[in-house]
Amino acid sequence: MISFRDHLRAAGNRLADIPEATAQLLRQAESVLDDIEAALGGSRPPECEGERLSVEIGASRAVRGVHPIESAHAAVTMYQVLLPIVLDRTRADGDPETGLRTAAGVLQESIMLRVGIGAVSYASFLLEKMNHAHRDERRRIGRELHDRAAHSVGVVLQDLDLYEVYAATDPARAMPRIVTARAALREALDLIRGLATELRESAVEVGGLAKALGDYVATRVPPSIHATVSVTGDEQLPDDACEELYLVLREAIRNAVLHSGARTLEVTVTVTDAEVHASVRDDGQGFDLAAALVARSGIGLSSMRERLELLGGTFTITATPDAGTTISIAVAHLGAGR
C-alpha cells in the first residue's frame, strides 16, 4: 500500500502532499479490498464502512478546496495499484482471461461506488455552504433595512408628529422638524436604492470584475475616502468565480466604508491562468480581530470565508487598532479546467 502514495506523487496529484488525504485514501483502498474479499467469498460487502468513509472524504475534499479532478485521478491510481492485487486473488486456474475480467469488474464496481458517494458528499457540502452564504446575505440586508432604513423612517415620523404639535403654536420650532424629516427620508431612500442595486447587480452582467468593482466604489464609497481599484486579467475568470469574488470584495469594501473611518481605500486584484490574488486595504482605525470573531459581530467575515471556500480559496486579515486593515485573498485553480 506504500506504493499508492508514490503513484499519486508521480502523477503530480496534490493529494499525495496532504497527510490526511493520503491516510484516507489508504483506508479507502483497504476498504475496497475488504469489499472485494467479501464479494468473492459470496458474502455481502461491509458497505457501511465504505459509505461512511466516502462521505467523509467528499466533505473533507470540499473543505480543503481540492478540485474533483484530483479525486478522479486518485480513483484511477487506486484502480491501477489494486488491480494486480485483486487479479492475484481472482485468477482462475488455467483461465487467466476469466480471472482478469472478474478482477476488473469487481474492482471497478467497488471504486466507482465510492467515487459516486464522495461526489454527492462533496456537492452537498458546497451546496450547504452556498445556502449559508445566501442566508447571511439576506440577514445582512434585513439588518440594514431594520437598523438603518426603518430607523430613518421612524425619525421622519417623529419629526412630522412634532411639526404638527408646534405648527399652530410655535412655527419657529416647527420648521426645523420638516428639515430634519426631509434629511432622514433622503437617507432612507438612498439606503433602499443602494440595497436594491446590490440585489440586482451582477459582475458577469455588467461586464466583468473590474467594471463591477469600479461601479460599486464610484456609487457607494463617499468622496471623503480616496478609493482606487486596480484589476488585471479578470477576463480569465469563469462566470461563477467572477460573481463570488465580486461578492467577497464588495463585502470587504462595504466593511471598510462603514466601520474603518479610513481616508484611503485600495482594492487590487491580479488574475492569472491558475490563481487570483486580491486585497482590500484601508488606513482606518482597524479592529480587534480576535474579539470580532468571538463576538460574531455582523461584519460578514463568515460569509466571506464560506464564499471563498466554494472557490477553494482562503483569505487572511491583518487588523490592528488604529493602524488600518488589510484583507488578502488567494484562490487557486480558477482556469477553464475547473
Side-chain angles (χ1 to χ4, degrees), residues 143 255 259 285-305 315 317-321 325 327:
R143 286 195 301 269
N255 288 338
H259 305 293
Q285 62 189 6
F287 64 98
D288 187 330
L289 177 59
L293 292 174
V294 170
R296 298 182 62 84
S297 55
I299 58 176
L301 297 182
S302 62
S303 177
M304 294 166 65
R305 180 181 295 109
F315 79 105
I317 302 176
T318 304
T320 306
T325 301
I327 294 180

PDB file of all heavy atoms in Angstrom, residues 143 255 259 285-305 315 317-321 325 327:
ATOM      1  N   ARG A 143     -30.879  43.362   8.326  1.00  0.00           N
ATOM      2  CA  ARG A 143     -30.372  44.261   9.359  1.00  0.00           C
ATOM      3  C   ARG A 143     -30.266  45.693   8.847  1.00  0.00           C
ATOM      4  O   ARG A 143     -30.563  46.647   9.573  1.00  0.00           O
ATOM      5  CB  ARG A 143     -28.999  43.774   9.847  1.00  0.00           C
ATOM      6  CG  ARG A 143     -29.050  42.553  10.732  1.00  0.00           C
ATOM      7  CD  ARG A 143     -27.720  42.369  11.453  1.00  0.00           C
ATOM      8  NE  ARG A 143     -26.619  42.222  10.525  1.00  0.00           N
ATOM      9  CZ  ARG A 143     -26.190  41.059  10.049  1.00  0.00           C
ATOM     10  NH1 ARG A 143     -26.817  39.942  10.397  1.00  0.00           N
ATOM     11  NH2 ARG A 143     -25.166  41.001   9.224  1.00  0.00           N
ATOM     12  N   ASN A 255     -17.450  46.897   4.418  1.00  0.00           N
ATOM     13  CA  ASN A 255     -17.000  46.929   5.809  1.00  0.00           C
ATOM     14  C   ASN A 255     -16.053  48.096   6.063  1.00  0.00           C
ATOM     15  O   ASN A 255     -16.124  48.761   7.100  1.00  0.00           O
ATOM     16  CB  ASN A 255     -16.293  45.613   6.157  1.00  0.00           C
ATOM     17  CG  ASN A 255     -17.261  44.458   6.283  1.00  0.00           C
ATOM     18  OD1 ASN A 255     -18.444  44.659   6.509  1.00  0.00           O
ATOM     19  ND2 ASN A 255     -16.765  43.245   6.096  1.00  0.00           N
ATOM     20  N   HIS A 259     -17.098  50.862   8.770  1.00  0.00           N
ATOM     21  CA  HIS A 259     -16.522  50.645  10.092  1.00  0.00           C
ATOM     22  C   HIS A 259     -15.117  51.214  10.303  1.00  0.00           C
ATOM     23  O   HIS A 259     -14.694  51.351  11.444  1.00  0.00           O
ATOM     24  CB  HIS A 259     -16.473  49.142  10.403  1.00  0.00           C
ATOM     25  CG  HIS A 259     -17.786  48.452  10.283  1.00  0.00           C
ATOM     26  ND1 HIS A 259     -18.842  48.704  11.125  1.00  0.00           N
ATOM     27  CD2 HIS A 259     -18.227  47.517   9.395  1.00  0.00           C
ATOM     28  CE1 HIS A 259     -19.876  47.949  10.779  1.00  0.00           C
ATOM     29  NE2 HIS A 259     -19.527  47.218   9.730  1.00  0.00           N
ATOM     30  N   GLN A 285      -9.206  52.793  11.400  1.00  0.00           N
ATOM     31  CA  GLN A 285      -8.967  52.552  12.816  1.00  0.00           C
ATOM     32  C   GLN A 285      -8.688  51.094  13.139  1.00  0.00           C
ATOM     33  O   GLN A 285      -8.288  50.768  14.261  1.00  0.00           O
ATOM     34  CB  GLN A 285     -10.178  53.004  13.620  1.00  0.00           C
ATOM     35  CG  GLN A 285     -11.455  52.242  13.285  1.00  0.00           C
ATOM     36  CD  GLN A 285     -12.678  52.854  13.923  1.00  0.00           C
ATOM     37  OE1 GLN A 285     -12.597  53.920  14.537  1.00  0.00           O
ATOM     38  NE2 GLN A 285     -13.816  52.183  13.803  1.00  0.00           N
ATOM     39  N   GLY A 286      -8.858  50.194  12.157  1.00  0.00           N
ATOM     40  CA  GLY A 286      -8.626  48.787  12.424  1.00  0.00           C
ATOM     41  C   GLY A 286      -9.629  48.248  13.433  1.00  0.00           C
ATOM     42  O   GLY A 286     -10.595  48.912  13.795  1.00  0.00           O
ATOM     43  N   PHE A 287      -9.393  47.028  13.901  1.00  0.00           N
ATOM     44  CA  PHE A 287     -10.262  46.454  14.911  1.00  0.00           C
ATOM     45  C   PHE A 287      -9.571  45.249  15.530  1.00  0.00           C
ATOM     46  O   PHE A 287      -8.554  44.763  15.025  1.00  0.00           O
ATOM     47  CB  PHE A 287     -11.624  46.054  14.319  1.00  0.00           C
ATOM     48  CG  PHE A 287     -11.551  44.948  13.283  1.00  0.00           C
ATOM     49  CD1 PHE A 287     -11.809  43.632  13.627  1.00  0.00           C
ATOM     50  CD2 PHE A 287     -11.236  45.245  11.959  1.00  0.00           C
ATOM     51  CE1 PHE A 287     -11.744  42.625  12.682  1.00  0.00           C
ATOM     52  CE2 PHE A 287     -11.183  44.243  11.007  1.00  0.00           C
ATOM     53  CZ  PHE A 287     -11.438  42.934  11.363  1.00  0.00           C
ATOM     54  N   ASP A 288     -10.127  44.792  16.624  1.00  0.00           N
ATOM     55  CA  ASP A 288      -9.599  43.613  17.322  1.00  0.00           C
ATOM     56  C   ASP A 288     -10.207  42.388  16.666  1.00  0.00           C
ATOM     57  O   ASP A 288     -11.360  42.037  16.909  1.00  0.00           O
ATOM     58  CB  ASP A 288      -9.964  43.684  18.806  1.00  0.00           C
ATOM     59  CG  ASP A 288      -9.299  42.571  19.611  1.00  0.00           C
ATOM     60  OD1 ASP A 288      -9.060  41.491  19.049  1.00  0.00           O
ATOM     61  OD2 ASP A 288      -9.032  42.801  20.809  1.00  0.00           O
ATOM     62  N   LEU A 289      -9.429  41.708  15.811  1.00  0.00           N
ATOM     63  CA  LEU A 289      -9.948  40.592  15.030  1.00  0.00           C
ATOM     64  C   LEU A 289     -10.419  39.456  15.931  1.00  0.00           C
ATOM     65  O   LEU A 289     -11.496  38.888  15.718  1.00  0.00           O
ATOM     66  CB  LEU A 289      -8.870  40.095  14.064  1.00  0.00           C
ATOM     67  CG  LEU A 289      -9.232  38.873  13.215  1.00  0.00           C
ATOM     68  CD1 LEU A 289     -10.457  39.151  12.373  1.00  0.00           C
ATOM     69  CD2 LEU A 289      -8.045  38.465  12.339  1.00  0.00           C
ATOM     70  N   ALA A 290      -9.628  39.110  16.937  1.00  0.00           N
ATOM     71  CA  ALA A 290      -9.996  38.001  17.818  1.00  0.00           C
ATOM     72  C   ALA A 290     -11.323  38.286  18.521  1.00  0.00           C
ATOM     73  O   ALA A 290     -12.193  37.418  18.611  1.00  0.00           O
ATOM     74  CB  ALA A 290      -8.895  37.750  18.842  1.00  0.00           C
ATOM     75  N   ALA A 291     -11.489  39.516  18.986  1.00  0.00           N
ATOM     76  CA  ALA A 291     -12.734  39.876  19.676  1.00  0.00           C
ATOM     77  C   ALA A 291     -13.914  39.841  18.719  1.00  0.00           C
ATOM     78  O   ALA A 291     -15.014  39.414  19.088  1.00  0.00           O
ATOM     79  CB  ALA A 291     -12.597  41.262  20.299  1.00  0.00           C
ATOM     80  N   ALA A 292     -13.699  40.281  17.469  1.00  0.00           N
ATOM     81  CA  ALA A 292     -14.781  40.279  16.488  1.00  0.00           C
ATOM     82  C   ALA A 292     -15.228  38.858  16.166  1.00  0.00           C
ATOM     83  O   ALA A 292     -16.423  38.584  16.027  1.00  0.00           O
ATOM     84  CB  ALA A 292     -14.331  40.987  15.212  1.00  0.00           C
ATOM     85  N   LEU A 293     -14.275  37.928  16.064  1.00  0.00           N
ATOM     86  CA  LEU A 293     -14.631  36.542  15.761  1.00  0.00           C
ATOM     87  C   LEU A 293     -15.365  35.899  16.928  1.00  0.00           C
ATOM     88  O   LEU A 293     -16.320  35.144  16.739  1.00  0.00           O
ATOM     89  CB  LEU A 293     -13.365  35.749  15.426  1.00  0.00           C
ATOM     90  CG  LEU A 293     -12.667  36.136  14.112  1.00  0.00           C
ATOM     91  CD1 LEU A 293     -11.355  35.376  13.970  1.00  0.00           C
ATOM     92  CD2 LEU A 293     -13.577  35.865  12.919  1.00  0.00           C
ATOM     93  N   VAL A 294     -14.929  36.197  18.156  1.00  0.00           N
ATOM     94  CA  VAL A 294     -15.594  35.640  19.330  1.00  0.00           C
ATOM     95  C   VAL A 294     -17.010  36.191  19.457  1.00  0.00           C
ATOM     96  O   VAL A 294     -17.967  35.459  19.729  1.00  0.00           O
ATOM     97  CB  VAL A 294     -14.790  35.949  20.611  1.00  0.00           C
ATOM     98  CG1 VAL A 294     -15.604  35.584  21.853  1.00  0.00           C
ATOM     99  CG2 VAL A 294     -13.473  35.191  20.598  1.00  0.00           C
ATOM    100  N   ALA A 295     -17.152  37.505  19.212  1.00  0.00           N
ATOM    101  CA  ALA A 295     -18.458  38.155  19.344  1.00  0.00           C
ATOM    102  C   ALA A 295     -19.366  37.881  18.164  1.00  0.00           C
ATOM    103  O   ALA A 295     -20.552  38.170  18.208  1.00  0.00           O
ATOM    104  CB  ALA A 295     -18.271  39.669  19.506  1.00  0.00           C
ATOM    105  N   ARG A 296     -18.795  37.316  17.062  1.00  0.00           N
ATOM    106  CA  ARG A 296     -19.561  37.074  15.836  1.00  0.00           C
ATOM    107  C   ARG A 296     -20.296  38.344  15.403  1.00  0.00           C
ATOM    108  O   ARG A 296     -21.464  38.324  15.019  1.00  0.00           O
ATOM    109  CB  ARG A 296     -20.568  35.934  16.025  1.00  0.00           C
ATOM    110  CG  ARG A 296     -19.910  34.611  16.351  1.00  0.00           C
ATOM    111  CD  ARG A 296     -20.950  33.512  16.478  1.00  0.00           C
ATOM    112  NE  ARG A 296     -21.675  33.320  15.239  1.00  0.00           N
ATOM    113  CZ  ARG A 296     -21.258  32.565  14.238  1.00  0.00           C
ATOM    114  NH1 ARG A 296     -20.101  31.940  14.319  1.00  0.00           N
ATOM    115  NH2 ARG A 296     -21.985  32.420  13.149  1.00  0.00           N
ATOM    116  N   SER A 297     -19.579  39.464  15.457  1.00  0.00           N
ATOM    117  CA  SER A 297     -20.187  40.732  15.060  1.00  0.00           C
ATOM    118  C   SER A 297     -20.495  40.715  13.574  1.00  0.00           C
ATOM    119  O   SER A 297     -19.837  40.051  12.799  1.00  0.00           O
ATOM    120  CB  SER A 297     -19.247  41.892  15.398  1.00  0.00           C
ATOM    121  OG  SER A 297     -17.971  41.704  14.822  1.00  0.00           O
ATOM    122  N   GLY A 298     -21.499  41.482  13.181  1.00  0.00           N
ATOM    123  CA  GLY A 298     -22.022  41.369  11.834  1.00  0.00           C
ATOM    124  C   GLY A 298     -21.189  42.076  10.788  1.00  0.00           C
ATOM    125  O   GLY A 298     -21.674  42.977  10.119  1.00  0.00           O
ATOM    126  N   ILE A 299     -19.936  41.694  10.634  1.00  0.00           N
ATOM    127  CA  ILE A 299     -19.104  42.331   9.621  1.00  0.00           C
ATOM    128  C   ILE A 299     -18.859  41.420   8.437  1.00  0.00           C
ATOM    129  O   ILE A 299     -18.007  41.683   7.604  1.00  0.00           O
ATOM    130  CB  ILE A 299     -17.767  42.811  10.214  1.00  0.00           C
ATOM    131  CG1 ILE A 299     -17.012  41.638  10.847  1.00  0.00           C
ATOM    132  CG2 ILE A 299     -18.000  43.911  11.230  1.00  0.00           C
ATOM    133  CD1 ILE A 299     -15.637  42.021  11.362  1.00  0.00           C
ATOM    134  N   GLY A 300     -19.599  40.298   8.365  1.00  0.00           N
ATOM    135  CA  GLY A 300     -19.574  39.476   7.161  1.00  0.00           C
ATOM    136  C   GLY A 300     -18.386  38.563   6.998  1.00  0.00           C
ATOM    137  O   GLY A 300     -18.177  38.015   5.927  1.00  0.00           O
ATOM    138  N   LEU A 301     -17.595  38.348   8.061  1.00  0.00           N
ATOM    139  CA  LEU A 301     -16.405  37.512   7.931  1.00  0.00           C
ATOM    140  C   LEU A 301     -16.763  36.076   7.580  1.00  0.00           C
ATOM    141  O   LEU A 301     -16.121  35.447   6.731  1.00  0.00           O
ATOM    142  CB  LEU A 301     -15.579  37.550   9.211  1.00  0.00           C
ATOM    143  CG  LEU A 301     -14.989  38.907   9.608  1.00  0.00           C
ATOM    144  CD1 LEU A 301     -14.166  38.758  10.881  1.00  0.00           C
ATOM    145  CD2 LEU A 301     -14.129  39.468   8.489  1.00  0.00           C
ATOM    146  N   SER A 302     -17.770  35.516   8.230  1.00  0.00           N
ATOM    147  CA  SER A 302     -18.132  34.126   7.960  1.00  0.00           C
ATOM    148  C   SER A 302     -18.643  33.961   6.539  1.00  0.00           C
ATOM    149  O   SER A 302     -18.333  32.981   5.861  1.00  0.00           O
ATOM    150  CB  SER A 302     -19.186  33.647   8.962  1.00  0.00           C
ATOM    151  OG  SER A 302     -20.374  34.415   8.853  1.00  0.00           O
ATOM    152  N   SER A 303     -19.431  34.922   6.062  1.00  0.00           N
ATOM    153  CA  SER A 303     -19.941  34.852   4.694  1.00  0.00           C
ATOM    154  C   SER A 303     -18.802  34.922   3.683  1.00  0.00           C
ATOM    155  O   SER A 303     -18.780  34.179   2.695  1.00  0.00           O
ATOM    156  CB  SER A 303     -20.935  35.998   4.449  1.00  0.00           C
ATOM    157  OG  SER A 303     -21.379  35.982   3.108  1.00  0.00           O
ATOM    158  N   MET A 304     -17.850  35.805   3.919  1.00  0.00           N
ATOM    159  CA  MET A 304     -16.700  35.919   3.022  1.00  0.00           C
ATOM    160  C   MET A 304     -15.907  34.623   3.002  1.00  0.00           C
ATOM    161  O   MET A 304     -15.517  34.127   1.930  1.00  0.00           O
ATOM    162  CB  MET A 304     -15.814  37.087   3.452  1.00  0.00           C
ATOM    163  CG  MET A 304     -16.471  38.447   3.297  1.00  0.00           C
ATOM    164  SD  MET A 304     -15.567  39.758   4.165  1.00  0.00           S
ATOM    165  CE  MET A 304     -14.038  39.784   3.247  1.00  0.00           C
ATOM    166  N   ARG A 305     -15.667  34.052   4.171  1.00  0.00           N
ATOM    167  CA  ARG A 305     -14.895  32.815   4.253  1.00  0.00           C
ATOM    168  C   ARG A 305     -15.610  31.695   3.505  1.00  0.00           C
ATOM    169  O   ARG A 305     -14.984  30.920   2.763  1.00  0.00           O
ATOM    170  CB  ARG A 305     -14.684  32.426   5.713  1.00  0.00           C
ATOM    171  CG  ARG A 305     -13.890  31.130   5.883  1.00  0.00           C
ATOM    172  CD  ARG A 305     -13.720  30.762   7.345  1.00  0.00           C
ATOM    173  NE  ARG A 305     -12.906  31.737   8.050  1.00  0.00           N
ATOM    174  CZ  ARG A 305     -13.356  32.587   8.951  1.00  0.00           C
ATOM    175  NH1 ARG A 305     -14.649  32.596   9.253  1.00  0.00           N
ATOM    176  NH2 ARG A 305     -12.549  33.435   9.547  1.00  0.00           N
ATOM    177  N   PHE A 315      -8.707  33.515   2.781  1.00  0.00           N
ATOM    178  CA  PHE A 315      -8.396  34.924   2.970  1.00  0.00           C
ATOM    179  C   PHE A 315      -7.806  35.123   4.366  1.00  0.00           C
ATOM    180  O   PHE A 315      -8.084  34.359   5.288  1.00  0.00           O
ATOM    181  CB  PHE A 315      -9.618  35.819   2.744  1.00  0.00           C
ATOM    182  CG  PHE A 315     -10.579  35.887   3.890  1.00  0.00           C
ATOM    183  CD1 PHE A 315     -10.643  37.010   4.702  1.00  0.00           C
ATOM    184  CD2 PHE A 315     -11.448  34.841   4.151  1.00  0.00           C
ATOM    185  CE1 PHE A 315     -11.533  37.079   5.754  1.00  0.00           C
ATOM    186  CE2 PHE A 315     -12.348  34.899   5.192  1.00  0.00           C
ATOM    187  CZ  PHE A 315     -12.390  36.034   5.996  1.00  0.00           C
ATOM    188  N   ILE A 317      -6.702  38.240   7.291  1.00  0.00           N
ATOM    189  CA  ILE A 317      -6.984  39.607   7.720  1.00  0.00           C
ATOM    190  C   ILE A 317      -5.859  40.091   8.623  1.00  0.00           C
ATOM    191  O   ILE A 317      -5.492  39.413   9.579  1.00  0.00           O
ATOM    192  CB  ILE A 317      -8.323  39.698   8.476  1.00  0.00           C
ATOM    193  CG1 ILE A 317      -9.469  39.204   7.597  1.00  0.00           C
ATOM    194  CG2 ILE A 317      -8.589  41.126   8.919  1.00  0.00           C
ATOM    195  CD1 ILE A 317     -10.805  39.176   8.310  1.00  0.00           C
ATOM    196  N   THR A 318      -5.320  41.222   8.277  1.00  0.00           N
ATOM    197  CA  THR A 318      -4.363  41.896   9.147  1.00  0.00           C
ATOM    198  C   THR A 318      -5.045  43.155   9.660  1.00  0.00           C
ATOM    199  O   THR A 318      -5.272  44.094   8.899  1.00  0.00           O
ATOM    200  CB  THR A 318      -3.074  42.265   8.393  1.00  0.00           C
ATOM    201  OG1 THR A 318      -2.519  41.089   7.816  1.00  0.00           O
ATOM    202  CG2 THR A 318      -2.063  42.892   9.337  1.00  0.00           C
ATOM    203  N   ALA A 319      -5.416  43.133  10.926  1.00  0.00           N
ATOM    204  CA  ALA A 319      -6.169  44.255  11.500  1.00  0.00           C
ATOM    205  C   ALA A 319      -5.545  44.636  12.832  1.00  0.00           C
ATOM    206  O   ALA A 319      -5.442  43.807  13.735  1.00  0.00           O
ATOM    207  CB  ALA A 319      -7.630  43.876  11.697  1.00  0.00           C
ATOM    208  N   THR A 320      -5.129  45.886  12.918  1.00  0.00           N
ATOM    209  CA  THR A 320      -4.532  46.403  14.140  1.00  0.00           C
ATOM    210  C   THR A 320      -5.262  47.681  14.539  1.00  0.00           C
ATOM    211  O   THR A 320      -5.429  48.574  13.699  1.00  0.00           O
ATOM    212  CB  THR A 320      -3.041  46.720  13.940  1.00  0.00           C
ATOM    213  OG1 THR A 320      -2.385  45.559  13.434  1.00  0.00           O
ATOM    214  CG2 THR A 320      -2.399  47.153  15.249  1.00  0.00           C
ATOM    215  N   PRO A 321      -5.729  47.766  15.777  1.00  0.00           N
ATOM    216  CA  PRO A 321      -6.404  49.001  16.192  1.00  0.00           C
ATOM    217  C   PRO A 321      -5.563  50.236  15.893  1.00  0.00           C
ATOM    218  O   PRO A 321      -4.365  50.270  16.175  1.00  0.00           O
ATOM    219  CB  PRO A 321      -6.590  48.787  17.696  1.00  0.00           C
ATOM    220  CG  PRO A 321      -6.684  47.295  17.850  1.00  0.00           C
ATOM    221  CD  PRO A 321      -5.731  46.751  16.835  1.00  0.00           C
ATOM    222  N   THR A 325      -6.629  48.141   8.185  1.00  0.00           N
ATOM    223  CA  THR A 325      -6.982  46.736   7.961  1.00  0.00           C
ATOM    224  C   THR A 325      -6.651  46.344   6.524  1.00  0.00           C
ATOM    225  O   THR A 325      -6.879  47.118   5.591  1.00  0.00           O
ATOM    226  CB  THR A 325      -8.486  46.502   8.212  1.00  0.00           C
ATOM    227  OG1 THR A 325      -8.803  46.878   9.549  1.00  0.00           O
ATOM    228  CG2 THR A 325      -8.867  45.050   7.983  1.00  0.00           C
ATOM    229  N   ILE A 327      -7.327  42.991   3.958  1.00  0.00           N
ATOM    230  CA  ILE A 327      -7.883  41.671   3.688  1.00  0.00           C
ATOM    231  C   ILE A 327      -7.219  41.151   2.419  1.00  0.00           C
ATOM    232  O   ILE A 327      -7.306  41.782   1.360  1.00  0.00           O
ATOM    233  CB  ILE A 327      -9.406  41.730   3.523  1.00  0.00           C
ATOM    234  CG1 ILE A 327     -10.055  42.114   4.848  1.00  0.00           C
ATOM    235  CG2 ILE A 327      -9.950  40.397   3.024  1.00  0.00           C
ATOM    236  CD1 ILE A 327     -11.564  42.210   4.791  1.00  0.00           C
TER     237      ILE A 327
END
